Amino acid sequence: MRWWDIDPVLDLERDLFPEDAWSRGMFWSELAHSRGPEATRRYYVALAGDRIVGYAGLAAQGDQGDVQTIAVARDQWGTGLGGRLLTGLLRAATAFECGEVLLECRVDNVRAQKLYERFGFEAIGFRRGYYQPGNVDAVVMRLTDPATAVADPVPPPAPEAEPPSGLPSGPGRPSGPVQGTDLHG
């Protein structure tokens, strides 16, 4: 993700998370920490043609990574794009030498929780009222050894369509363009 992606990312953010969407300033702040030798963030966007259809971000501090966000356009649900984005984040966590990755997920977002579980994340707690202003609880999930999850992820259920290309291929991940969608970081 680059600065010129922020406006279309905000459009998607507001559509998917209307009550607790990130602000423009939050994305700018994250991207400010994603470049150079002291980078602690990695952000990706997924494109279908020139339309952003997904994005994801990871923060790293010490040996711990934190999934900041993953979002996939509704018309891309079931295509495997969320898994491709998560794979990119876990590879970034490995590059940052993170021994574990944490995330928060809305308790009512069962689709996302199942994705994380396929990659080996386990629920370790809750944060009451984490998502505001809706006062929705978050389940906290943890993955130990993200390098192992990326090297040999649990295969997802048969997708409705092949996942898009863009991230390097590897075990359990198809390669080649699909539906004109590419991931860029």
Side-chain angles (χ1 to χ4, degrees), residues 4 14 27 35 37-38 49 54 58-59 82 91 119 128 150-151 154 164 168 173 179:
W4 53 81
R14 290 179 190 125
F27 280 107
R35 299 280 185 239
E38 302 298 316
L58 176 95
R91 286 186 175 173
F119 278 79
R128 302 285 176 215
V150 175
V154 176
R173 287 176 305 282
Q179 298 178 343

Side-chain angles (χ1 to χ4, degrees), residues 79-180:
T79 66
L81 180 55
R84 299 287 291 168
L85 288 165
L86 183 56
T87 296
L89 296 183
L90 296 178
R91 286 186 175 173
T94 300
F96 281 125
E97 298 181 354
C98 297
E100 68 177 2
V101 176
L102 297 170
L103 61 83
E104 293 87 16
C105 183
R106 290 175 63 107
V107 294
D108 58 357
N109 191 345
V110 176
R111 175 188 290 268
Q113 290 173 41
K114 288 181 186 236
L115 169 67
Y116 302 137
E117 288 169 355
R118 282 199 319 264
F119 278 79
F121 281 84
E122 297 177 334
I124 61 169
F126 291 93
R127 295 182 193 238
R128 302 285 176 215
Y130 183 78
Y131 294 99
Q132 294 296 329
N135 201 37
V136 177
D137 296 342
V139 60
V140 180
M141 301 181 83
R142 177 178 60 202
L143 172 68
T144 56
D145 197 6
T148 302
V150 175
D152 191 23
V154 176
E160 296 167 19
E162 286 289 317
S165 68
L167 294 176
S169 61
R173 287 176 305 282
S175 61
V178 177
Q179 298 178 343

Side-chain angles (χ1 to χ4, degrees), residues 60-80:
Q61 184 164 339
D63 68 345
Q64 187 175 80
D66 188 60
V67 173
Q68 301 292 322
T69 188
I70 292 183
V72 173
R74 295 175 202 280
D75 66 337
Q76 297 292 310
W77 288 0
T79 66

